[in-house]
Amino acid sequence: MAELSQAHVLIIATDGFEQAELFEPRKALLDAGVKVTLAAPKMDPIQGMEHDQKGQTITPDMTLDTVDTEDYTALLLPGGVANPDALRMDDRAVEIVEEFADDGKLIAAICHAPWLLIEADVVDGRRMTSWPSLRTDLANAGADVVDEEVVRDGPFITSRKPDDIPAFNKAILQALQEDLDDQEADQEDTADA
């Protein structure tokens, strides 16, 4: 079984992220030994929200324009309303989602974050969930929308809201482990060939 410490997850966010949806998955990943990097449009601290109240801030590790998606195993997209709404207007943020999707890498999006998946045009034919107000947008973009705590369809994991975070975190860690185990098995097969 591969070690989760071999995984490297990129989180992209900006002001207005839902605090629990960034901090709790980030902590679960770090606690499991996963390397985590936070990228934002600028290096200034970004403002979290607890629903409609300002929460904690966090300082990004790097800017979006310095991200090389080849360096990462998976992408995590926290929600909040303002955060994904701003990021879907950021060309580099959308490109990052497209690059992860093109490479078949794991993308986990919660709450309003599927807006970025819609903008990157990667939801057509995929089974997904989101915050209720996005479901029509997802359906219009071709997704098969369901109301479930966590949904995994290939490399995509989606969840609805902060209450779903425990299931969301579990699904991400499980998917990372499966991906790493598959890679390890492929390397062993290549070595044996």
Side-chain angles (χ1 to χ4, degrees):
M1 199 155 130
E3 292 291 321
L4 279 171
S5 59
Q6 296 170 352
H8 190 179
V9 175
L10 176 68
I11 302 174
I12 63 173
T14 190
D15 291 324
F17 65 89
E18 182 65 37
Q19 180 172 304
E21 295 170 1
L22 190 156
F23 285 105
E24 290 181 33
R26 180 176 177 269
K27 181 180 186 318
L29 289 165
L30 291 170
D31 287 351
V34 176
K35 185 174 180 191
V36 179
T37 298
L38 173 63
K42 299 184 300 226
M43 286 301 292
D44 302 327
I46 56 176
Q47 178 66 58
M49 300 295 289
E50 289 188 78
H51 308 296
D52 59 353
Q53 302 293 315
K54 283 188 176 180
Q56 294 175 275
T57 61
I58 186 169
T59 302
D61 301 302
M62 64 192 310
T63 57
L64 294 174
D65 60 0
T66 60
V67 169
D68 181 349
T69 57
E70 296 294 317
D71 296 341
Y72 303 94
T73 316
L75 177 64
L76 173 62
L77 303 171
V81 180
N83 165 53
D85 193 40
L87 288 178
R88 68 182 172 157
M89 303 305 292
D90 183 302
D91 290 343
R92 183 59 190 140
V94 175
E95 282 172 7
I96 288 169
V97 175
E98 290 168 345
E99 289 168 19
F100 272 88
D102 288 347
D103 290 340
K105 291 182 179 178
L106 184 66
I107 300 176
I110 188 168
C111 196
H112 288 77
W115 261 339
L116 264 166
L117 305 180
I118 294 167
E119 196 65 36
D121 196 21
V122 298
V123 304
D124 192 21
R126 294 291 184 174
R127 193 167 172 273
M128 295 188 159
T129 194
S130 69
W131 184 254
S133 65
L134 266 71
R135 292 188 187 147
T136 300
D137 295 346
L138 272 172
N140 287 341
D144 172 17
V145 184
V146 295
D147 182 11
E148 294 174 17
E149 189 176 48
V150 64
V151 176
R152 174 140 190 224
D153 185 341
F156 295 97
I157 295 172
T158 50
S159 279
R160 303 169 300 186
K161 57 190 175 188
D163 290 349
D164 298 340
I165 290 172
F168 184 62
N169 291 348
K170 184 178 176 187
I172 294 168
L173 290 169
Q174 187 176 344
L176 283 171
Q177 187 66 62
E178 288 170 8
D179 286 354
L180 289 168
D181 289 346
D182 288 349
Q183 288 171 13
E184 195 173 74
D186 289 347
Q187 288 167 350
E188 286 170 9
D189 290 347
T190 306
D192 292 344

